DNA sequence: TGCCGTATTGACAGCATCTGCCAGTTCCTC
DNA sequence: GAGGAACTGGCAGATGCTGTCAATACGGCA
C-alpha cells in the first residue's frame, strides 16, 4: 500500500508529467482529502481535543479502522500532508559548504515549495497551521516529522564534506530554527509579510552576515 | 502539589543552602526516583514499548494512578527530570547580541549544567538517553520540553534587543541545533569526547567563526 | 503528647486511542 | 471473464489517561 506521502507526491507530479493513478489510488486520495477537510471543519467548530476520531470517521463516511490505516494517529492528519513532507531529498545539488547562508536560504526556499509543487499545488495544509502552533501534541508530531527530514539533511551535508557534528547542528538549525521558527513568527504576525522575508532575517541572525551569495554545486 | 521540577530544584539547592524538604516531599521524591530507576530497569530488560505503566507502578510499589499523578505520561519519565529542565531562566544576564557565538556557547554550557547542579548533582538522566534517542515518542516529548525552553529563551533574546524573527530562530537553533544536535552526536560517538567540544564545533558551523569572544552583559 | 485540618494516595469506573485479526468486497492483471 | 491482489469494515481487546471519592498519612498547634 502506497503511503499518503507517496500518493500526494505522485498527484503533484501530474502537473509536470503523466504519472497516472489507478482508480484505487484515486479513491483513497479522495477519501484522504475528504477526511482531512472534514476533520478541520470539526476542529474549527468544537476544538481539536473535543473531536474524537470516531466522529471524524463517521462524518467522513469511513470506518474508524480506515482512519487509522490512513493516518496512523490523530496527529497524522497534520504530518501526512505536504506541509511536513518537505522533501529534503532534492537538495543534494544545492549544498555549498563554502556559502552557508546561501545554502540555508536555498534549502528553506525548496522546503517551502513543498514536494514538487511547482504548478500551484493546493495549500490546504495552511488551514491546519493553527493547530500545529496551538496543540502541543500536534506540534510534537510535526517536530517528529521535521526531525526525520533533518536526519536526511544531515546525511546530505556529511556527503558534502561537513563533519558529523557540524552537519547535525546545521541540519537541525535549518529545520527547527530557520524553517519552523520563521514559520511560527510568520503565523503569529498574521501571515502578512512574505514568509521568505522571515527566513532571510532569521538566517542572517545566525550567520551574522547578509544573506546574499549565489553559487550552485 | 509541588511539581517534580520544583522538587528536584529544591533538592539540588540543598548543596548551596538550607532548603529543607518536608517528610512528604522527601517521600514523594524517593518514590519518584524509585519509579524512574525501576522503569529504566524494566526498559533495559524488555524494551520501552513492551513495558506497561501498570507494570512499572506494581514493581515500584505505587498505584498506577500515582504514576500518572507524578509523571502525567509514560514519556514524562524522561521530561520530568533535570535533563529536560534545563533552566533557561537564569540566562538573562548572559546575552550579548554583539557576540552571538560567545552567547550561544555560554547558554549551552549553562543548559548542560542543569538547574543549579553546581555541586555534582547526580546524572541519573543519562541512563535514559538511549530511549530519548531511539524511541520516537520519547524523543517527541523531549522536543516538546526543549520547545518550551526555546520559547522562554526567545523572550529573553527579544528583551535583549533582537527582533522577534531573529530571536525565535536563534533560540530554536540553540536548543534543537547546538544543544540537542551536539548531544545526539556525542551519544552516537559513544560519549568519549567531552560534550563541550561538540557544542563548540556545532556553533562555529553556524556562525562560520571561531567561537571565542567574551563579554558579559 | 494528642488532636484536627490538609495534603496525598489508592481504588474504581470510564473514555479515547490504537492494533491484530478475519471475512467480505472491489479492483487490477492476465 | 477468471484468478489474485489490494483494500475496507467490523469486532475484540490492550493500553494510555482522567475524574471522582473515600481512606490514610503528615504537619501544625494547643
Amino acid at each position: 500500500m502506497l503511503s499518503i506521502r507517496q500518493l500526494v507526491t505522485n498527484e503533484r507530479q501530474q502537473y509536470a508529467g503523466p504519472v497516472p493513478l489507478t482508480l484505487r489510488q484515486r479513491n483513497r486520495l479522495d477519501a484522504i482529502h475528504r477526511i482531512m477537510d472534514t476533520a478541520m471543519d470539526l476542529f474549527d467548530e468544537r476544538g481539536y481535543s473535543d473531536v474524537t476520531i470516531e466522529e471524524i470517521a463517521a462524518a467522513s463516511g469511513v470506518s474508524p479502522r480506515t482512519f487509522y490505516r490512513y493516518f496512523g494517529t490523530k496527529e497524522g492528519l497534520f504530518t501526512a500532508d505536504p506541509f511536513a513532507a518537505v522533501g529534503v531529498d532534492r537538495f543534494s545539488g544545492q549544498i555549498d559548504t563554502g556559502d552557508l547562508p546561501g545554502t540555508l536560504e536555498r534549502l528553506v526556499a525548496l522546503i517551502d515549495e513543498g514536494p514538487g509543487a511547482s504548478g500551484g499545488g493546493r495549500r490546504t495544509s495552511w488551514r491546519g497551521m493553527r493547530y500545529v502552533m496551538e496543540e502541543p501534541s500536534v506540534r510534537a508530531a510535526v517536530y517528529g516529522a521535521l526531525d526525520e527530514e533533518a536526519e536526511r539533511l544531515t546525511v546530505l551535508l556529511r556527503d558534502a564534506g561537513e563533519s558529523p557534528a557540524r552537519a547535525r547542528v546545521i541540519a537541525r538549525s535549518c529545520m527547527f530554527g530557520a524553517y519552523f521558527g520563521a514559520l511560527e513568527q510568520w503565523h503569529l504576525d498574521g501571515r502578512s509579510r512574505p514568509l521568505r522575508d522571515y527566513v532571510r532575517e532569521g538566517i542572517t541572525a545566525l550567520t551574522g552576515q547578509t544573506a546574499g551569495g549565489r553559487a550552485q554545486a
Side-chain angles (χ1 to χ4, degrees), chain A residues 119-205:
Chain A
R122 55 172 115 182
R123 282 249 181 233
T124 58
S125 43
W126 294 145
R127 200 179 162 196
M129 176 85 70
R130 177 181 152 198
Y131 302 102
V132 172
M133 295 302 165
E134 296 176 4
E135 288 292 331
S137 66
V138 177
R139 200 178 172 105
V142 169
Y143 275 13
L146 288 179
D147 192 43
E148 289 179 21
E149 295 300 325
E151 188 59 36
R152 293 199 189 90
L153 183 55
T154 300
V155 174
L156 292 180
L157 286 167
R158 240 179 5 218
D159 290 346
E162 295 285 358
S163 75
R166 287 172 57 96
R168 203 165 289 277
V169 170
I170 293 172
R172 287 196 151 53
S173 297
C174 177
M175 301 301 298
F176 290 94
Y179 181 53
F180 193 85
L183 207 55
E184 186 177 24
Q185 192 62 47
W186 172 73
H187 172 74
L188 287 173
D189 287 353
R191 311 182 188 180
S192 48
R193 285 169 51 200
L195 177 57
R196 178 177 295 266
D197 289 356
Y198 288 94
V199 171
R200 192 166 297 165
E201 186 179 346
I203 289 173
T204 63

